[in-house]
């Protein structure tokens, strides 16, 4: 009987595991289908504009074979080997991109800059699943930890990678839609360029207005379009290969790359493979779903489509300026035009989604001014939407269309900085291998050397494109980097001031015992950005001196945004403690950068009061006092400290802190961003000399 029972239980466990695996596979397949409409749009529609944007002069068969060889090996090495096989494994709890890799490095080494971003050790027991560096650190890690210059360079590298991805992303919608709509001018030569530009701009405005509905809804609507494109173009490619040049696949031999020694065309052929976007979009989907979609559809589709285009051009060497539509057979021209136009609209989605992800990461980690971030999915925390970011991207994309006015001109600028992003990813991924994964140095060298040489070659060709439109994404990238650095510098100076003018717990007791200071009914959450409980910010003394009161129950609340993607619910409220004076407590609320923060849903007052009664409150009388204070009313108090930049302030601080104050005045307040009702919010201003 016992044996039979054991067998039954074992079978039940196995059946449950199989059902779980089946559910996981089906979920991955559904997500893989959705990735077609979001992640791979910019990559899979690249045949629309690759050949038209090349500056070819009297091209020959050998030239086209060399170009196709470059396309094939770049797509294979960078797309498959680097990103699908390696980079997607360097995620931070499901989040991808350069900033996520920087976050991952900060968790395993003491290389963060801002004190508020400190990673706590396991002994502090603040989060049970926080990674802890074990063993003797390697030379590289010790060097970076001991050098403030190296740490700042690492932060700057991550910031530049993020900014360049966004800077280049504004060109993706413009060139994709323009290239597709330009197909009207083939059968209808009377259609003017301004008409094409106006129609393209109107289509993009409509696309950006759809973003508020969330990536899942948008991708579900867009995925059938991209599926039609992904499977239709390789069919035409196979037909073109059969008709024009059946021996095209001999170009897979790398020696054709050596024969084709035109760096400008190499850049044009390679910069379209936007594999970085699928890494940055990782938070919207999953690693396995992206891998399935890429290897089963995107990769073979591009290999066959480019082969078909090249086969056609070998027999029609001067048609490269319209290399997509002329390679489409006449009987299916209009169906392909409709699919191409819809696919070009969808292609814009990958960089838009990636931009939302990286902006949200930097806002939560306090490296970027606060903008509104909306979580559009309850099941997928990485799926976010930012209205300000969305409309700024829309204005920039429409401005690019109206400013350049021609797909070929945009082609000169398109893809320039993304080559640098790929190089930055290679560097950060090397650090992840050495510091986190502990990969043998020989294996690291086998990865680093080939990709460094390959991408450095492409970077060398970037210089020729800067004056021909490449300055646009660079300018946007530099502007974004300046905003991030100005914000970072201001926050660093603010932290230094708070440390120098801290209010200790002893000083708090003296302030509360001062003449005329009363304890008023109610529960007050007083926000502090200090990550330790030994002292509080100077705005507290400013508040007590001016208000001459403090609530009967006051909780000094620290919001800790950990350098992890998500924090388990049981670890949300931590470090609950009594601070000395009666009715004064402290606690920490922990969130990762992929966690949704909505105090109305979370009922933060209930969570904190429950934690106080469970861990701190001693006796029924104290518990009743806490509950009575909550019943009397809850108020959330936040200090707002500003710099006074005077004439005697040194020039460097005058410029940077003045810029920080400009950003600080324009950005959203922290309390509305946390979902706190208006009637419960109080902000206390404090001015101090820079």
């Amino acid at each position: 009987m016992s044996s039979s029972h054991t067998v039954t239980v074992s079978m039940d466990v196995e059946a449950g595991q199989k059902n779980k695996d089946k559910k996981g596979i089906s979920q991955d397949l559904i997500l893989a289908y959705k990735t077609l409409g979001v992640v791979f749009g910019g990559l899979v529609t690249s045949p629309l504009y690759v050949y038209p944007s090349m500056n070819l002069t009297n091209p020959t068969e050998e030239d086209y074979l060399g170009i196709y060889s470059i396309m094939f090996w770049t797509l294979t090495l960078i797309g498959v080997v680097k990103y699908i096989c390696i980079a997607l494994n360097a995620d931070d709890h499901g989040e991808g991109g350069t900033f996520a890799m920087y976050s991952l490095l900060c968790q395993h080494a003491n290389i963060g800059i801002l004190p508020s971003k400190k990673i706590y050790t396991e002994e502090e027991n603040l989060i049970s699943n926080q990674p802890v560096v074990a063993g003797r650190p390697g030379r590289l890690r010790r060097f970076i930890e001991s050098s403030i210059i190296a740490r700042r360079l690492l932060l700057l590298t991550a910031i530049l990678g993020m900014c360049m991805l966004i800077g280049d992303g504004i060109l993706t919608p413009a060139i994709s839609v323009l290239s597709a709509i330009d197909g009207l001018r083939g059968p209808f030569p009377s259609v003017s360029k301004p008409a094409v530009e106006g129609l393209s701009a109107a289509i993009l405005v409509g696309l950006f207005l759809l973003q508020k509905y969330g990536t899942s809804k948008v991708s579900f609507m867009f995925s059938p379009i991209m599926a039609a494109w992904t499977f239709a173009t390789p069919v035409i490619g196979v037909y073109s290969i059969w008709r024009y040049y059946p021996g095209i696949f001999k170009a897979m031999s790398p020696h054709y790359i050596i024969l084709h020694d035109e760096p400008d065309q190499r850049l044009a052929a390679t910069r379209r493979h936007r594999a970085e976007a699928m890494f940055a979009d990782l938070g919207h989907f999953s690693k396995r779903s992206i891998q399935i979609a890429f290897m089963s559809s995107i990769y073979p589709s591009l290999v066959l489509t480019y082969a078909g285009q090249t086969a056609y051009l070998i027999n029609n060497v001067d048609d490269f300026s319209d290399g997509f539509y002329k390679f489409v057979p006449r009987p299916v021209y209009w169906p392909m035009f409709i699919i191409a136009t819809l696919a070009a609209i969808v292609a814009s989605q990958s960089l838009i989604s990636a931009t939302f992800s990286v902006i949200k990461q930097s806002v939560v980690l306090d490296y970027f001014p606060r903008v509104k971030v909306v979580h559009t999915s309850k099941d997928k925390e990485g799926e976010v939407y930012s209205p300000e970011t969305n409309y700024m991207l829309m204005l920039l994309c429409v401005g690019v269309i109206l400013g350049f006015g021609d797909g070929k001109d945009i082609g000169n600028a398109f893809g320039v900085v993304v080559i640098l992003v790929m190089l930055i990813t290679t560097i950060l991924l090397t650090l992840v291998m050495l510091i986190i994964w502990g990969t043998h140095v020989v294996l690291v060298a086998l990865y680093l050397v080939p990709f460094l040489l390959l991408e450095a070659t492409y970077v060398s060709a970037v210089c020729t494109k800067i004056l021909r439109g490449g300055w646009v994404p660079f300018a946007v990238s530099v502007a974004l980097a300046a905003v991030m650095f100005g914000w970072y510098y201001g926050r660093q100076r603010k932290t230094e001031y708070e440390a120098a003018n801290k209010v200790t717990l002893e000083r708090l007791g003296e302030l509360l015992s001062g003449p005329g200071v009363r304890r008023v009914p109610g529960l007050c959450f007083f926000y502090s950005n200090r990550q330790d409980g030994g002292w509080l910010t100077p705005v507290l003394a400013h508040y007590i001196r001016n208000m001459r009161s403090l609530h009967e129950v006051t909780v000094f609340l620290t919001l800790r945004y950990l350098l992890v993607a998500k924090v388990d619910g049981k670890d949300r409220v931590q470090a609950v403690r009594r601070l000395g004076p009666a009715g004064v407590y402290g606690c920490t609320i922990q969130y990762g950068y992929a966690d949704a923060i909505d105090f109305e849903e979370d009922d933060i007052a209930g969570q904190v009061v429950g934690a106080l009664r469970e861990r701190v409150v001693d006796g029924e009388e104290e518990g009743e006092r806490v509950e009575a204070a909550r019943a009397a009313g809850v108020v959330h108090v936040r200090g707002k400290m500003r710099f006074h930049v005077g004439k005697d302030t040194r020039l460097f601080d005058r410029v940077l802190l003045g810029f920080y104050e400009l950003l600080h005045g324009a950005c959203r307040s922290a309390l509305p961003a946390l979902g706190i009702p208006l009637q419960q919010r109080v902000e206390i201003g404090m001015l101090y000399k820079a």
Side-chain angles (χ1 to χ4, degrees), residues 114 362-363 365-370 481-493 638 656 659-668:
L114 292 180
S362 10
V363 166
L365 294 175
D366 206 14
Y367 287 106
F368 196 82
R370 284 182 298 272
V483 168
M484 293 190 75
F485 183 76
W487 183 262
Y488 153 73
Y489 184 77
R491 303 301 280 181
Q492 189 180 48
R493 287 294 304 274
R638 174 180 172 264
L656 278 184
F659 183 48
Y660 169 77
E661 283 301 310
L662 180 68
L663 295 173
H664 195 271
C667 77
R668 291 175 176 266

Side-chain angles (χ1 to χ4, degrees), residues 59-214:
T60 64
E61 177 182 337
E62 292 296 318
D63 289 329
Y64 283 120
L65 290 173
I67 290 171
Y68 179 69
S69 188
I70 295 169
M71 291 176 177
F72 173 78
W73 284 107
T74 301
L75 187 63
T76 302
L77 292 176
I78 293 181
V80 177
V81 178
K82 177 181 175 181
Y83 283 96
I84 291 296
C85 296
I86 303 176
L88 288 182
N89 294 304
D91 67 300
D92 180 17
H93 294 72
E95 296 285 326
T98 57
F99 219 62
M101 276 198 291
Y102 174 74
S103 163
L104 196 63
L105 287 166
C106 288
Q107 293 173 50
H108 290 78
N110 185 26
I111 59 177
I113 299 292
L114 292 180
S116 60
K117 301 298 177 289
K118 177 184 174 184
I119 296 300
Y120 289 78
T121 62
E122 194 172 40
E123 287 74 18
E124 290 175 275
N125 197 29
L126 292 175
I127 178 168
S128 59
N129 60 349
Q130 179 71 24
V132 178
V133 180
R136 186 169 178 266
R139 291 182 184 177
L140 179 62
R141 194 184 117 200
R142 291 201 303 270
F143 168 74
I144 297 176
E145 288 179 338
S146 62
S147 172
I148 187 63
I149 295 176
R151 290 159 64 188
R152 285 175 175 169
L153 282 175
L154 187 59
L155 173 61
L156 180 62
T157 300
I159 287 175
L160 283 175
M162 185 195 73
C163 294
M164 286 179 177
L165 183 67
I166 298 172
D168 197 65
I170 65 172
L171 301 177
T172 302
I175 194 171
S176 300
V177 176
L178 266 178
S179 300
I181 300 299
D182 200 53
L184 285 172
R185 302 184 67 206
F188 300 110
S190 59
V191 176
S192 64
K193 282 189 176 182
V196 171
E197 294 164 17
L199 182 57
S200 301
I203 289 172
L204 282 178
V205 169
L207 173 67
F208 280 103
L209 293 178
L210 285 174
Q211 296 303 313
K212 64 182 178 181
Y213 296 107

Side-chain angles (χ1 to χ4, degrees), residues 30-45 172-173 176 207 210-211 213-227 230 274-286 289-290 293 298 342-357 376 380 382-384:
I30 293 172
L31 283 175
Y33 169 71
K34 288 185 176 182
T35 62
L36 297 178
V38 175
V39 177
F40 299 110
L43 179 60
V44 79
T45 57
T172 302
S176 300
L207 173 67
L210 285 174
Q211 296 303 313
Y213 296 107
T215 304
S216 289
K217 293 178 181 177
V218 171
S219 63
F220 188 82
M221 181 174 62
F222 284 169
S223 292
I225 298 170
M226 292 312 300
T230 302
R274 312 185 57 83
E276 184 65 36
M278 69 179 171
F279 186 32
D281 277 329
L282 184 57
H284 291 257
F285 297 97
S286 69
S289 66
I290 290 175
I298 304 302
L342 294 174
I345 296 170
V346 178
S348 310
Q349 187 63 47
S350 62
L351 264 298
I352 294 172
S353 301
T355 299
F356 291 158
S357 293
T376 55
K380 193 67 181 173
E383 186 181 312
V384 293

Side-chain angles (χ1 to χ4, degrees), residues 51-52 54-57 59 64 313 316-323:
Y51 275 113
M54 291 186 186
N55 297 314
L56 298 173
T57 305
Y64 283 120
L313 289 171
N316 302 271
V317 293
D318 295 325
D319 283 352
F320 60 87
S321 62
D322 195 10

Side-chain angles (χ1 to χ4, degrees), residues 299-504:
Y299 178 72
S301 175
L302 285 171
V303 168
L304 292 173
T305 303
Y306 279 130
Q309 275 188 290
T310 308
Y312 169 83
L313 289 171
I314 287 174
N315 282 266
N316 302 271
V317 293
D318 295 325
D319 283 352
F320 60 87
S321 62
D322 195 10
F324 178 77
Y325 282 111
K326 286 191 176 179
F327 124 94
V328 175
R330 295 297 97 187
V332 295
Y333 183 91
W334 285 111
M336 281 307 299
F337 171 78
I338 294 171
I339 294 174
T341 302
L342 294 174
I345 296 170
V346 178
S348 310
Q349 187 63 47
S350 62
L351 264 298
I352 294 172
S353 301
T355 299
F356 291 158
S357 293
V358 294
I359 288 292
K360 191 243 180 177
Q361 289 175 13
S362 10
V363 166
V364 173
L365 294 175
D366 206 14
Y367 287 106
F368 196 82
R370 284 182 298 272
V371 294
K372 186 176 182 180
V373 175
V374 180
H375 288 259
T376 55
S377 171
K378 293 182 179 180
D379 301 320
K380 193 67 181 173
E381 295 290 357
E383 186 181 312
V384 293
Y385 162 71
S386 171
E388 293 100 330
T389 306
N390 184 58
Y391 294 125
M392 183 61 67
L393 280 175
M394 182 179 73
L395 291 175
L396 288 172
C397 288
V398 171
V400 164
I401 287 179
L402 300 180
F404 280 90
D406 189 276
K408 291 182 180 179
D409 292 335
I410 300 176
N412 287 326
F414 183 64
V416 171
V417 295
V418 86
I419 298 295
L420 295 174
V421 179
M422 290 161 61
L423 184 61
I424 288 171
T425 299
T426 296
I427 295 169
L428 291 177
L429 197 51
T430 301
L431 294 177
V432 169
M433 288 179 176
L434 291 170
I435 294 176
I436 301 175
W437 296 348
T439 309
H440 194 281
V441 67
V442 174
L443 294 177
V444 174
L446 289 174
Y447 159 78
L448 177 62
V449 174
F451 284 107
L452 201 59
L453 291 175
L454 180 67
E455 291 163 359
T457 303
Y458 299 153
V459 168
S460 66
V462 165
C463 300
T464 65
K465 295 291 182 179
I466 293 177
L467 296 179
R468 289 187 287 170
W471 61 269
V472 173
F474 267 112
V476 174
S477 303
V478 169
L480 283 171
V483 168
M484 293 190 75
F485 183 76
W487 183 262
Y488 153 73
Y489 184 77
R491 303 301 280 181
Q492 189 180 48
R493 287 294 304 274
K494 180 182 175 183
T495 300
E496 291 171 355
Y497 176 86
E498 290 173 347
N501 297 272
K502 60 189 177 184
V503 176
T504 62

